[in-house]
Amino acid sequence: MQTRTLGTNGPQTSALGLGCMGMSALYGDSDRSESIATIHAALDAGITLLDTGDFYGMGHNELLINEALRTAPAAAREKAQTSVKFGALRTIEGGFTGYDGRPNAVKNFAAYSLQRLGTDHIDIYRIARIDPDVPIEETVGAIAELVEAGHVRHIGLSEVGAESLRRAAAVAPISDLQIEYSLVSRGIEDAILPTARELGIGITAYGVLSRGLISGHFSRDRKLAANDFRGMSPRFQGENLSRNLDLVDALRKIAEQKGVSVAQTAIAWVLSRGEDIVPLVGARRRDRLTEALGALDISLDAGELAAIEQAIPVDAAAGERYPTDQMAHLDSER
């Protein structure tokens, strides 16, 4: 497994991380045994970074990771690194009602995560979205206290803009910024990515396949389950979906010429953006994981990169990446 280092102050991780959210929530029903088998397969392949959130399935995802790690070989378990997001407030019905970044809340969330994960430390800890009522300095300061106490190894951030990145980094060392980055979501390239690089902060890129939209496996006639949040995502709606899948068709031609899959091409493109970027792949099944791992063996030359970006130009995607109410929570979009 290739490795990369998250920023100047962060840990060395596998070049690909495994995003575990879909094993518990938001993409319809999942198979628990297959999810655990997929985590085991990822660890066996050398993936060390497991990304989760304490609100994924209201703690279900952390408990799932706990079970997977407990039943994995000791050597793999010892190398595993947990990246945890916190702060999202949920209703019993599964709705989101905001974010809580108060220092006492940060430590409360961490206490519950440590218990569910069955560990004495979290490798990277980050608030999922900035709490608009709490200065980012206070939230980061609370995580820094958890680092000092040995409960957290590194401080991360999620979906913050360049200004907030600077303010946070002035308080304590930041290992990485977790943010959406893909062929159809390139907004970080203007200001956020240059700022992160100036500050020595790595990027863990989620949504590298845009929630399956550019995986090559999503069809125009696919029916989404009622509990699949993509049914409310603008990019999966009506004419937007058709236009976006036209982009995928163009990418497919390039992938076929190279003898690789569409998903592998899209992941390889993100990998090519810099050694400071670690893509997170949201595989819920072993076959999808195997496909994603194949991206590590793909080298894209200048001509192929140009062809890919001609097939999917900047800002070519139709529709926002989240519904309007959720876009409002993104400091990175301000």
Side-chain angles (χ1 to χ4, degrees):
M1 171 59 66
Q2 302 166 27
T3 60
R4 294 187 170 185
T5 300
L6 291 177
T8 303
N9 301 293
Q12 183 181 77
T13 74
S14 49
L16 286 180
L18 182 64
C20 299
M21 179 188 76
M23 297 177 180
S24 297
L26 299 179
Y27 289 123
D29 295 336
S30 60
D31 183 312
R32 186 181 188 86
S33 61
E34 180 62 23
S35 295
I36 291 174
T38 300
I39 295 174
H40 286 169
L43 294 171
D44 186 59
I47 287 179
T48 59
L49 186 62
L50 303 178
D51 184 74
T52 185
D54 63 9
F55 51 93
Y56 292 166
M58 283 76 155
H60 177 278
N61 204 237
E62 291 179 319
L63 292 170
L64 184 77
I65 290 173
N66 180 338
E67 182 178 351
L69 291 177
R70 280 191 291 105
T71 54
R77 182 170 60 249
E78 290 169 3
K79 293 179 181 178
Q81 300 161 307
T82 52
S83 169
V84 180
K85 290 179 290 298
F86 69 88
L89 304 176
R90 305 290 303 270
T91 66
I92 294 173
E93 295 75 22
F96 287 86
T97 60
Y99 296 89
D100 192 344
R102 295 171 302 156
N104 284 342
V106 172
K107 296 172 184 177
N108 177 76
F109 288 131
Y112 280 83
S113 283
L114 289 167
Q115 178 68 25
R116 284 189 291 261
L117 288 167
T119 183
D120 63 357
H121 74 275
I122 295 166
D123 290 283
I124 311 173
Y125 202 48
R126 68 187 89 239
I127 190 165
R129 302 287 186 269
I130 288 179
D131 181 344
D133 297 323
V134 178
I136 188 63
E137 291 87 348
E138 293 185 16
T139 302
V140 169
I143 305 175
E145 292 179 8
L146 291 172
V147 172
E148 185 176 355
H151 303 307
V152 169
R153 295 278 172 83
H154 302 280
I155 304 171
L157 294 168
S158 176
E159 286 289 355
V160 305
E163 179 183 350
S164 297
L165 202 57
R166 290 187 186 281
R167 289 170 54 194
V171 175
I174 306 297
S175 69
D176 67 305
L177 168 64
Q178 188 173 121
I179 195 164
E180 187 166 355
Y181 188 38
S182 73
L183 276 165
V184 293
S185 297
R186 297 179 60 179
I188 73 169
E189 293 177 346
D190 293 334
I192 296 174
L193 183 56
T195 300
R197 285 175 167 161
E198 175 192 335
L199 297 172
I201 297 172
I203 299 290
T204 41
Y206 76 89
V208 294
L209 296 179
S210 194
R211 299 162 184 82
L213 181 62
I214 60 172
S215 67
H217 301 298
F218 204 94
S219 62
R220 287 172 169 79
D221 59 354
R222 180 171 173 180
K223 302 299 182 184
L224 294 171
N227 58 345
D228 190 324
F229 91 106
R230 290 174 294 187
M232 298 180 292
S233 172
R235 290 184 175 175
F236 288 83
Q237 302 295 316
E239 183 60 27
N240 284 350
L241 176 61
S242 181
R243 289 171 55 190
N244 290 330
L245 291 181
D246 284 344
L247 298 175
V248 178
D249 289 339
L251 184 62
R252 191 187 310 276
K253 294 177 182 177
I254 298 169
E256 289 176 347
Q257 290 174 358
K258 196 170 178 64
V260 299
S261 75
V262 174
Q264 289 169 338
T265 305
I267 297 169
W269 180 87
V270 178
L271 283 165
S272 76
R273 298 298 85 191
E275 290 292 320
D276 54 349
I277 297 174
V278 174
L280 300 173
V281 295
R284 300 193 294 170
R285 299 179 351 214
R286 283 167 286 180
D287 58 339
R288 294 288 191 249
L289 173 66
T290 298
E291 180 183 24
L293 287 168
L296 292 167
D297 299 321
I298 297 173
S299 178
L300 299 171
D301 62 30
E304 290 167 333
L305 289 170
I308 289 170
E309 296 190 22
Q310 183 176 5
I312 304 183
V314 176
D315 297 328
E320 297 285 1
R321 55 196 181 101
Y322 285 103
T324 301
D325 59 334
Q326 295 182 37
M327 288 293 290
H329 291 294
L330 299 178
D331 182 72
S332 55
E333 294 288 341
R334 293 172 188 163

